[in-house]
Amino acid sequence: MLLPLLLVWTFFRVWGIPGSAAAVPVSELLTFTVGAVIIFRLNRRHLSRGRRAAVLVHLPRIR
């Protein structure tokens, strides 16, 4: 919640009302990008060691 609030305040100060409307999509894009980079790096590290990726969800099989 800090990133959207910080961006709304910053964008409003720089560009006014239209800038504050763009702050939430920009914060979502930044959050997605940071998450994708973290997952990519974790997967690459685990795959280089011959392991399954730690971030993949393994659901139990129902018999």
Side-chain angles (χ1 to χ4, degrees):
M1 290 305 296
L2 288 177
L3 184 61
L5 291 174
L6 180 65
L7 286 178
V8 166
W9 182 78
T10 304
F11 284 18
F12 180 76
R13 301 282 280 171
V14 175
W15 293 296
I17 297 291
S20 63
V24 175
V26 170
S27 71
E28 293 294 328
L29 181 64
L30 286 173
T31 303
F32 175 78
T33 303
V34 169
V37 167
I38 290 171
I39 288 174
F40 177 74
R41 287 187 180 183
L42 284 176
N43 278 337
R44 190 177 57 181
R45 185 181 314 149
H46 284 282
L47 290 175
S48 68
R49 294 180 185 167
R51 299 183 196 167
R52 286 186 172 208
V55 294
L56 295 178
V57 176
H58 298 283
L59 297 174
R61 291 186 180 180
I62 299 174
R63 299 177 193 225

